[in-house]
Short mmCIF file of all heavy atoms in Angstrom, two decimals:
data_model
loop_
_atom_site.label_atom_id
_atom_site.label_comp_id
_atom_site.label_asym_id
_atom_site.label_seq_id
_atom_site.Cartn_x
_atom_site.Cartn_y
_atom_site.Cartn_z
N PHE U 44 1.81 19.41 35.03
CA PHE U 44 3.23 19.36 35.39
C PHE U 44 3.79 17.97 35.10
O PHE U 44 3.04 16.99 34.98
CB PHE U 44 3.44 19.73 36.86
CG PHE U 44 2.77 18.78 37.84
CD1 PHE U 44 3.45 17.70 38.37
CD2 PHE U 44 1.45 18.99 38.22
CE1 PHE U 44 2.83 16.83 39.27
CE2 PHE U 44 0.82 18.14 39.11
CZ PHE U 44 1.51 17.05 39.63
N GLN U 45 5.09 17.89 34.98
CA GLN U 45 5.78 16.63 34.70
C GLN U 45 5.98 15.84 36.00
O GLN U 45 6.13 16.42 37.07
CB GLN U 45 7.14 16.89 34.04
CG GLN U 45 7.07 17.63 32.72
CD GLN U 45 6.43 16.78 31.64
OE1 GLN U 45 6.59 15.57 31.62
NE2 GLN U 45 5.70 17.43 30.74
N GLY U 46 5.99 14.50 35.87
CA GLY U 46 6.32 13.65 37.00
C GLY U 46 5.17 13.28 37.89
O GLY U 46 5.38 12.79 39.01
N ALA U 47 3.94 13.49 37.44
CA ALA U 47 2.77 13.15 38.26
C ALA U 47 2.70 11.64 38.53
O ALA U 47 2.11 11.21 39.52
CB ALA U 47 1.49 13.62 37.58
N GLU U 48 3.34 10.84 37.67
CA GLU U 48 3.31 9.38 37.84
C GLU U 48 3.97 8.95 39.14
O GLU U 48 3.68 7.88 39.68
CB GLU U 48 4.01 8.70 36.66
CG GLU U 48 3.33 8.90 35.32
CD GLU U 48 3.72 10.23 34.67
OE1 GLU U 48 4.55 10.95 35.26
OE2 GLU U 48 3.16 10.55 33.59
N ALA U 49 4.86 9.79 39.66
CA ALA U 49 5.59 9.43 40.88
C ALA U 49 4.69 9.34 42.10
O ALA U 49 5.09 8.80 43.14
CB ALA U 49 6.71 10.45 41.12
N TYR U 50 3.47 9.87 41.99
CA TYR U 50 2.57 9.90 43.14
C TYR U 50 1.57 8.75 43.14
O TYR U 50 0.61 8.76 43.92
CB TYR U 50 1.82 11.24 43.18
CG TYR U 50 2.74 12.42 43.44
CD1 TYR U 50 3.40 13.06 42.40
CD2 TYR U 50 2.99 12.86 44.74
CE1 TYR U 50 4.27 14.12 42.63
CE2 TYR U 50 3.85 13.92 44.99
CZ TYR U 50 4.48 14.54 43.92
OH TYR U 50 5.35 15.59 44.17
N GLU U 51 1.80 7.75 42.28
CA GLU U 51 0.86 6.64 42.15
C GLU U 51 0.65 5.92 43.48
O GLU U 51 -0.49 5.65 43.89
CB GLU U 51 1.33 5.65 41.10
CG GLU U 51 0.42 4.44 40.94
CD GLU U 51 0.90 3.46 39.90
OE1 GLU U 51 1.76 3.83 39.07
OE2 GLU U 51 0.42 2.32 39.91
N SER U 52 1.74 5.62 44.19
CA SER U 52 1.61 4.87 45.46
C SER U 52 0.85 5.68 46.51
O SER U 52 0.05 5.15 47.28
CB SER U 52 2.99 4.48 45.99
OG SER U 52 3.78 5.65 46.24
N TYR U 53 1.08 7.02 46.51
CA TYR U 53 0.37 7.86 47.46
C TYR U 53 -1.13 7.91 47.13
O TYR U 53 -1.97 7.96 48.03
CB TYR U 53 0.94 9.28 47.44
CG TYR U 53 2.41 9.35 47.83
CD1 TYR U 53 3.38 9.64 46.88
CD2 TYR U 53 2.80 9.12 49.15
CE1 TYR U 53 4.72 9.70 47.23
CE2 TYR U 53 4.15 9.18 49.51
CZ TYR U 53 5.10 9.46 48.55
OH TYR U 53 6.42 9.52 48.90
N VAL U 54 -1.43 7.90 45.84
CA VAL U 54 -2.82 7.90 45.42
C VAL U 54 -3.53 6.63 45.88
O VAL U 54 -4.66 6.67 46.39
CB VAL U 54 -2.94 8.05 43.89
CG1 VAL U 54 -4.37 7.79 43.41
CG2 VAL U 54 -2.49 9.43 43.45
N LEU U 55 -2.87 5.49 45.70
CA LEU U 55 -3.46 4.21 46.11
C LEU U 55 -3.72 4.18 47.61
O LEU U 55 -4.76 3.68 48.06
CB LEU U 55 -2.55 3.06 45.70
CG LEU U 55 -2.34 2.86 44.19
CD1 LEU U 55 -1.37 1.74 43.92
CD2 LEU U 55 -3.68 2.59 43.49
N ASP U 56 -2.79 4.73 48.40
CA ASP U 56 -2.99 4.80 49.85
C ASP U 56 -4.16 5.73 50.19
O ASP U 56 -4.98 5.43 51.07
CB ASP U 56 -1.72 5.29 50.55
CG ASP U 56 -0.58 4.28 50.47
OD1 ASP U 56 -0.88 3.08 50.25
OD2 ASP U 56 0.59 4.68 50.60
N PHE U 57 -4.23 6.84 49.46
CA PHE U 57 -5.30 7.82 49.71
C PHE U 57 -6.66 7.24 49.34
O PHE U 57 -7.66 7.49 50.03
CB PHE U 57 -5.02 9.09 48.90
CG PHE U 57 -6.06 10.16 49.05
CD1 PHE U 57 -6.36 10.71 50.29
CD2 PHE U 57 -6.77 10.63 47.94
CE1 PHE U 57 -7.33 11.70 50.42
CE2 PHE U 57 -7.73 11.62 48.07
CZ PHE U 57 -8.01 12.15 49.32
N VAL U 58 -6.72 6.45 48.28
CA VAL U 58 -7.97 5.81 47.87
C VAL U 58 -8.49 4.89 48.98
O VAL U 58 -9.70 4.82 49.25
CB VAL U 58 -7.78 5.03 46.56
CG1 VAL U 58 -8.97 4.12 46.29
CG2 VAL U 58 -7.58 5.98 45.39
N SER U 59 -7.58 4.22 49.63
CA SER U 59 -7.96 3.27 50.69
C SER U 59 -8.34 3.95 52.00
O SER U 59 -8.97 3.33 52.87
CB SER U 59 -6.81 2.28 50.94
OG SER U 59 -6.46 1.60 49.75
N SER U 60 -7.93 5.20 52.16
CA SER U 60 -8.20 5.91 53.41
C SER U 60 -9.63 6.46 53.43
O SER U 60 -10.23 6.67 52.37
CB SER U 60 -7.20 7.05 53.59
OG SER U 60 -7.52 8.12 52.71
N PRO U 61 -10.18 6.72 54.61
CA PRO U 61 -11.54 7.28 54.69
C PRO U 61 -11.59 8.77 54.42
O PRO U 61 -12.69 9.32 54.24
CB PRO U 61 -11.93 6.98 56.14
CG PRO U 61 -10.64 6.95 56.90
CD PRO U 61 -9.62 6.38 55.94
N ALA U 62 -10.43 9.44 54.37
CA ALA U 62 -10.40 10.90 54.20
C ALA U 62 -10.83 11.29 52.79
O ALA U 62 -10.54 10.59 51.81
CB ALA U 62 -9.00 11.43 54.47
N GLU U 63 -11.54 12.43 52.66
CA GLU U 63 -11.93 12.96 51.36
C GLU U 63 -10.92 13.96 50.83
O GLU U 63 -10.90 14.26 49.63
CB GLU U 63 -13.31 13.63 51.45
CG GLU U 63 -14.43 12.63 51.69
CD GLU U 63 -15.80 13.25 51.50
OE1 GLU U 63 -15.89 14.39 50.99
OE2 GLU U 63 -16.80 12.60 51.87
N SER U 64 -10.07 14.50 51.71
CA SER U 64 -8.98 15.37 51.29
C SER U 64 -7.83 15.20 52.27
O SER U 64 -8.04 14.87 53.44
CB SER U 64 -9.43 16.84 51.23
OG SER U 64 -9.78 17.31 52.51
#
Side-chain angles (χ1 to χ4, degrees):
F44 62 93
Q45 300 292 327
E48 296 83 2
Y50 294 87
E51 178 180 343
S52 60
Y53 299 109
V54 169
L55 296 177
D56 292 339
F57 179 59
V58 167
S59 303
S60 74
E63 291 192 11
S64 64

